[in-house]
Amino acid sequence: MATVDSLLFNISSFIAGLFLLEYGADKFIDHTAIVAKRLNVSPTLVGLLTCGAEWEELVVIIVALSQKNSNMALGNLIGSSVANILASFSLGLLFMKKAEFDRSSKIYSAALLGLTTVFLLLLIALKGSSFQWFGGILLIAAFVIYVISVASLIYRGTLTAPEDSDSGSDSDSSDDDSDSDSDDDRTINAGDSGRGRPSDEEQGWTSDKGHQLNLLKPSPNKMAKAKKKSKAVKVINKRPKTMRHHVFQLALGLAALLVSSYIIAHSASTIGHELALSGTVVGTTILSLATTLPEKFVAILGGARHQPGIMVANTVGSNIFLVTLCGGVLFIWGDASQLQLGFTLFEATVMWLSAVVIFGIVLMGGRRWMGVVMLVGYVAFLVVEIMNGRELDDD
């Protein structure tokens, strides 16, 4: 009974942590974009840091490392990389009969294949602590070079910037709307003041001849104009938020990320223990499925709206972030012995083949049946992982 109670409690904590994680990620991304815009940082760099950047994955990996659980951190990285392609990108393909990808998508997917190959080679060749530090620094340097090179290509017009569905420009757009409304109001007032007192009909008033006192009542046109003007006045009086407000919201989002990541990592580890699963399997299955939910949602929207470029930017950008920055952090702070034993050749092969698959689809063009095949392959991957995890635990 105690085991069931502990399992139910940790499942509830895991779900609650997911909601808090999404809240923190949205706050962090939105207000990072606003603060960067206020500081006149290049919109290109803001797009690279907010679209496809899996900051929640990075925090989950850091928390897992702080709990001395390098196996789960590595499993989450590998599982998320596979899930982004086989489970998220494939969902977008299901909503499109045929998808053609531009030159930017081909360059992004080629970069992902190369960086994934480098990450796996470093992981397989991991032997000593000195080499471990070297691999981590190399991967982080690759992330910096990637950001700089892509920003340079976008600046020169070779690439198109990834689109961010979670942009933090709502406040700016509302300010623009209020400005246009205020201009319209000033134009109307100026026109009224340039002539004599308007007649009752020009003011929008009509006489109610059926009434004994011949009272005047507002026409529907006049009432609509009055509502529009009062709404415009309310928008005008709404001042833009201060920099201090956005910095506070950014810090609040970061704090939510940290707390939720601790809850998710701790509860996932306990769930895996209760289900007799290893830390690596928990990372490649439960944890990776949960933390890649935003990518699945964006992929579905991209497919439904027939925007394959968004699907590629979301999936490829997320995986490049994982294998470079997240991989570098994992190499530098992870336990070498756990990292050596924390993955199998099967997992490494599936991760590399996933990068090959998305590169091939982007080159040849996507079809709906490809999405079905990829989803079936992902389900098979999960089944094999769970079976292998239970066998290792029994041994």
Side-chain angles (χ1 to χ4, degrees):
M1 184 66 183
T3 302
V4 175
D5 182 69
S6 175
L7 181 62
L8 292 177
F9 174 79
N10 282 282
I11 290 176
S12 302
S13 300
F14 185 83
I15 296 174
L18 285 178
F19 282 102
L20 185 60
L21 180 70
E22 293 305 311
Y23 170 82
D26 288 340
K27 282 281 185 183
F28 180 77
I29 291 173
D30 290 346
H31 292 279
T32 296
I34 295 175
V35 170
K37 185 176 181 180
R38 294 282 183 89
L39 296 175
N40 294 323
V41 177
S42 170
T44 296
L45 295 179
V46 175
L48 288 171
L49 294 175
T50 57
C51 176
E54 297 205 9
W55 296 106
E56 64 272 20
E57 295 278 6
L58 177 62
V59 177
V60 169
I61 288 175
I62 292 175
V63 171
L65 293 176
S66 67
Q67 297 175 350
K68 308 299 182 183
N69 201 339
S70 299
N71 281 342
M72 190 169 67
L74 177 59
N76 181 47
L77 192 155
I78 295 176
S80 297
S81 300
V82 174
N84 282 338
I85 298 174
L86 298 185
S88 298
F89 187 77
S90 59
L91 289 176
L93 291 178
L94 293 180
F95 286 85
M96 291 188 293
K97 186 176 181 180
K98 183 179 180 181
E100 299 295 337
F101 301 94
D102 57 9
R103 185 167 180 263
S104 300
S105 300
K106 296 174 183 177
I107 295 176
Y108 278 121
S109 57
L112 172 62
L113 178 58
L115 291 171
T116 301
T117 304
V118 171
F119 170 78
L120 291 174
L121 289 176
L122 290 174
L123 190 61
I124 293 173
L126 182 61
K127 293 181 180 179
S129 58
S130 59
F131 183 82
Q132 181 180 352
W133 274 88
F134 171 76
I137 295 174
L138 182 63
L139 290 173
I140 294 177
F143 173 75
V144 175
I145 294 173
Y146 164 75
V147 172
I148 295 175
S149 61
V150 173
S152 176
L153 290 174
I154 293 175
Y155 178 77
R156 286 185 281 174
T158 305
L159 287 177
T160 55
E163 299 183 39
D164 185 7
S165 59
D166 293 323
S167 63
S169 59
D170 294 338
S171 59
D172 299 322
S173 61
S174 63
D175 292 339
D176 296 337
D177 293 339
S178 65
D179 293 338
S180 61
D181 290 339
S182 62
D183 292 339
D184 294 339
D185 293 337
R186 284 194 292 269
T187 303
I188 294 173
N189 294 335
D192 291 341
S193 61
R195 49 197 173 116
R197 181 183 180 276
S199 63
D200 292 335
E201 289 77 9
E202 290 174 329
Q203 289 182 347
W205 295 80
T206 58
S207 62
D208 188 1
K209 294 183 180 180
H211 199 284
Q212 196 172 15
L213 298 177
N214 197 28
L215 296 175
L216 297 177
K217 65 179 182 180
S219 66
N221 189 29
K222 177 67 178 179
M223 294 176 66
K225 288 184 178 180
K227 288 182 179 180
K228 182 179 180 181
K229 186 173 182 179
S230 63
K231 184 178 180 180
V233 171
K234 290 180 181 179
V235 175
I236 293 172
N237 293 333
K238 185 179 179 180
R239 297 180 179 179
K241 302 294 185 181
T242 62
M243 174 68 82
R244 184 182 300 176
H245 168 80
H246 293 298
V247 171
F248 173 76
Q249 293 294 328
L250 191 154
L252 182 64
L254 182 60
L257 274 176
L258 294 173
V259 174
S260 61
S261 299
Y262 173 79
I263 295 173
I264 289 174
H266 189 275
S267 58
S269 178
T270 305
I271 292 172
H273 178 72
E274 296 291 344
L275 297 178
L277 298 174
S278 65
T280 304
V281 174
V282 171
T284 55
T285 56
I286 301 174
L287 201 55
S288 62
L289 273 172
T291 54
T292 56
L293 287 177
E295 283 69 31
K296 294 176 176 60
F297 179 71
V298 173
I300 291 174
L301 285 182
R305 296 174 182 176
H306 299 282
Q307 294 177 328
I310 293 180
M311 293 167 49
V312 175
N314 175 65
T315 304
V316 174
S318 297
N319 277 18
I320 289 178
F321 185 87
L322 284 170
V323 299
T324 54
L325 185 58
C326 295
V329 171
L330 184 63
F331 268 67
I332 292 176
W333 282 284
D335 182 81
S337 59
Q338 289 190 27
L339 292 179
Q340 291 175 17
L341 303 175
F343 74 101
T344 63
L345 184 60
F346 168 75
E347 293 165 348
T349 302
V350 173
M351 182 178 177
W352 185 78
L353 287 178
S354 299
V356 174
V357 166
I358 191 172
F359 179 62
I361 291 176
V362 170
L363 286 182
M364 298 184 301
R367 302 294 185 273
R368 185 172 295 168
W369 64 266
M370 296 179 180
V372 176
V373 173
M374 292 167 71
L375 275 178
V376 172
Y378 183 67
V379 173
F381 169 76
L382 292 179
V383 172
V384 173
E385 279 293 283
I386 293 175
M387 295 296 294
N388 288 340
R390 286 189 175 274
E391 290 176 1
L392 289 174
D393 186 77
D394 293 337
D395 294 340

